Amino acid sequence: MNNPTNGQRNRVDVPREVIDRLRNVSSGSLTTELFRKGLRQCFLVGVKPLNKKAARFAGEAFTLRMIPAREDVDTYDTLTPYPNEMNLQWEAVERIGKGQVLIIDSRNDPRAASAGAMLPTRLKIRGAEAVVTDGSFRDGIELAELDFPAYAREVVASTRLSFHHVADLNVPISCADVAVYPGDIVVGDGDGVTVVPRHLAAEMADACERRDLLEKYLYYRVEAGEGLYGLYPPTDQTRADYAAWKEAGGKREEAGKIRAGK
C-alpha cells in the first residue's frame, strides 16, 4: 500500500485548531469560498447523514478504494480471512488515526453496503471523526441512532461482497465524483460533505467565518422585509453598515437600523 500525496500541498501542517474551526462553518460558505479559489465542485452530491443529530465533523481524509467484486475472489469464505491474510477493510478501521475521516470510494454504486454498524462503531471508539461513502450502508436503524457521523447515498441490506472489493488504502480516490487525496480536510454538516484541499484549510477557516457572519447579517435584513437588490450581494454601503452593526454589538433586532456614518 502506497501513501501518495497531492505533491507538497498535502504535506502542509494543519493545526487541529484550524480543523475544529472548519467544523463550525457552513457548507454554503465553504463551497463559495472554494469556488472563489477556482475549485468548482468539492461537494459530495447525494451523500447524506444517516443521523442528522450527529452530522457535524471535520478531519483528515483516510481513503479506501473499492473496485467491482468478482465471483471467484469475493466469496462468502473471504468474510473470514485465512491465517496470515489481510482484510483491507478491517485494516482501514484499525489503522485510522484519531481525528481522521474514513472516506470510501464505492464507485457511486449503492447496490451493496460499504459497511454496517459494526465498523462505524469501532471507528467511533478509535477516535475517528466520521465515515463517508458514495455508496450505501446497511444497519440503517442502528446508524441513525449512533452518535457518530455516517454519510451515504442509501441504506441497503446487501453485503459488500455482492458488488464491492476493497482494493487499496490511502490512495487518491473519487468519492461522489470528487477527487479526494489522503490528508485532505473533509468537512460535514447537515447539508452534506465538502472536501477541502489541505493547503487551503487555514485560508478557508478565516474566509468562511467572515462570510458566515456577513450572511447572517444579510439574512436578518431580508427577514425584516428588505429586497435583494443592493443588499445581496452587498454593496459598499451595505458592507459599511455591516461593519457598524458589528461594532454596535451585532444584535439581530438592530440589523438594518444601523447605518454607517449616521
Side-chain angles (χ1 to χ4, degrees):
M1 288 172 291
N2 297 321
N3 189 23
T5 62
N6 185 16
Q8 295 293 327
R9 293 181 171 186
N10 264 13
R11 298 174 190 166
V12 173
D13 181 57
V14 181
R16 186 67 220 184
E17 180 267 337
V18 169
I19 297 174
D20 287 341
R21 288 168 60 200
L22 285 171
R23 182 203 306 270
N24 294 312
V25 304
S26 70
S27 55
S29 289
L30 192 52
T31 55
T32 299
E33 291 299 333
L34 287 167
F35 182 80
R36 291 184 66 191
K37 300 294 292 186
L39 294 162
R40 292 183 174 273
Q41 177 57 321
C42 295
F43 186 79
L44 307 187
V45 176
V47 174
K48 298 293 184 182
L50 273 67
N51 181 357
K52 290 190 176 182
K53 294 180 180 179
R56 282 199 175 270
F57 73 87
E60 299 180 2
F62 185 109
T63 63
L64 184 154
R65 182 174 68 91
M66 291 187 181
I67 62 174
R70 201 174 77 181
E71 287 78 3
D72 64 328
V73 175
D74 300 286
T75 66
Y76 183 81
D77 290 339
T78 62
L79 287 172
T80 303
Y82 293 107
N84 302 320
E85 284 192 353
M86 183 182 297
N87 182 321
L88 279 184
Q89 190 177 34
W90 277 206
E91 286 294 311
V93 173
E94 295 299 337
R95 290 185 188 187
I96 200 165
K98 184 177 181 179
Q100 290 187 313
V101 175
L102 181 60
I103 183 162
I104 303 170
D105 174 2
S106 296
R107 310 177 338 277
N108 278 325
D109 187 344
R111 291 176 295 172
S114 302
M118 196 77 71
L119 271 62
T121 300
R122 178 63 177 157
L123 288 168
K124 176 185 176 182
I125 298 300
R126 286 191 50 76
E129 280 286 319
V131 59
V132 178
T133 179
D134 59 2
S136 298
F137 288 132
R138 66 199 305 185
D139 303 331
I141 293 175
E142 291 86 344
L143 289 175
E145 297 175 352
L146 184 65
D147 186 21
F148 182 76
Y151 283 73
R153 287 192 182 281
E154 304 285 349
V155 173
V156 301
S158 303
T159 176
R160 170 181 60 82
L161 296 172
S162 300
F163 289 102
H164 302 308
H165 174 85
V166 179
D168 217 341
L169 306 181
N170 263 350
V171 296
I173 64 170
S174 168
C175 191
D177 293 325
V178 173
V180 185
Y181 289 83
D184 280 343
I185 307 303
V186 187
V187 181
D189 65 6
D191 289 334
V193 177
T194 304
V195 178
V196 180
R198 188 179 182 87
H199 67 285
L200 294 176
E203 183 179 349
M204 289 299 104
D206 291 340
C208 291
E209 286 173 347
R210 291 193 298 267
R211 177 173 289 276
D212 276 346
L213 185 57
L214 173 60
E215 293 271 343
K216 180 183 292 187
Y217 168 74
L218 297 176
Y219 177 79
Y220 289 161
R221 289 182 60 170
V222 171
E223 184 184 45
E226 292 191 49
L228 295 176
Y229 288 108
L231 179 66
Y232 191 79
T235 62
D236 289 343
Q237 180 59 56
T238 301
R239 289 185 180 277
D241 294 343
Y242 165 65
W245 172 77
K246 283 200 302 180
E247 184 67 24
K251 295 181 179 179
R252 185 189 195 115
E253 61 273 16
E254 296 299 322
K257 296 180 181 179
I258 296 172
R259 295 289 186 267
K262 295 182 181 180

